Amino acid sequence: MVQRIVSGALAGMAATMAMTMAMRRLHALLDSREDYPLPPREIIEQTGSADDEENARADTLAAHFGFGALAGAIFALFPTWKGGGMLYGLGIWGISYLGWIPAAQILAPAWRHPLHRNLLMIAVHLVWGATLAKSLREMELAEEGPFGRHPGKPPNAPASALEKEEKGMSR
């Protein structure tokens, strides 16, 4: 269970990187009236957790990736099913931008933000969810395959003929 939670957190960070890349590219396409910082930065500004631009940028990245890792760890606790990552990403958007963020009076609810910014945020949460599910699955497959031992092979046996040769065991 702990391994799955750790894998979920790592997958959440990988998914947050994919999301961040999509955010950067889509943000550049916004109309000049909507071209202001996206919600992760707005949240940092509204919570007053940074005193200058450099700290605000660092705090935004830390909070963004930290939240992605936490949400990824929680995702790992649920059973997996096709399309579940994208639905989970959409759920995170809804719970966040229609739920706890406005309830905490950090930002206005999503319906009060411009349409294109909402579409951007929904799209990147879909990217995040799809990447999260795929990253978690890839980690599971790596644990079963190239990072694991084949069934029946003793845990202390050399992994390969090359390893035997390097340890002087091939003679």
Side-chain angles (χ1 to χ4, degrees):
M1 178 65 89
V2 172
Q3 178 60 38
R4 182 139 173 99
I5 292 169
V6 169
S7 292
L10 292 171
M13 292 184 80
T16 303
M17 179 53 73
M19 175 190 211
T20 302
M21 292 185 310
M23 289 171 103
R24 189 175 63 78
R25 285 167 176 79
L26 293 174
H27 183 256
L29 300 176
L30 289 175
D31 167 296
S32 63
R33 294 169 296 179
E34 297 178 1
D35 185 19
Y36 50 92
L38 291 175
R41 174 59 183 265
E42 288 182 303
I43 291 167
I44 293 301
E45 289 175 354
Q46 290 300 315
T47 58
S49 43
D51 53 0
D52 64 22
E53 180 61 21
E54 186 176 334
N55 288 337
R57 288 178 182 179
D59 289 355
T60 299
L61 284 173
H64 185 54
F65 278 85
F67 187 77
L70 174 63
I74 293 168
F75 176 77
L77 298 174
F78 297 116
T80 58
W81 44 278
K82 190 170 178 83
M86 290 178 73
L87 286 176
Y88 185 72
L90 192 56
I92 292 294
W93 176 84
I95 289 168
S96 298
Y97 297 106
L98 300 172
W100 72 268
I101 294 172
Q105 299 181 338
I106 298 170
L107 297 178
W111 67 79
R112 291 191 37 214
H113 292 269
L115 174 65
H116 290 110
R117 286 176 63 89
N118 277 322
L119 292 174
L120 179 156
M121 292 306 292
I122 290 168
V124 300
H125 279 81
L126 291 170
V127 166
W128 179 84
T131 306
L132 170 68
K134 184 66 174 169
S135 296
L136 183 59
R137 182 68 183 132
E138 286 297 325
M139 278 191 267
E140 290 168 345
L141 292 171
E143 288 171 7
E144 295 167 9
F147 295 163
R149 292 268 183 204
H150 294 287
K153 191 171 187 178
N156 59 352
S160 67
L162 178 60
E163 186 177 335
K164 286 181 183 179
E165 185 178 312
E166 288 177 352
K167 291 184 177 183
M169 298 169 61
S170 62
R171 299 177 218 269

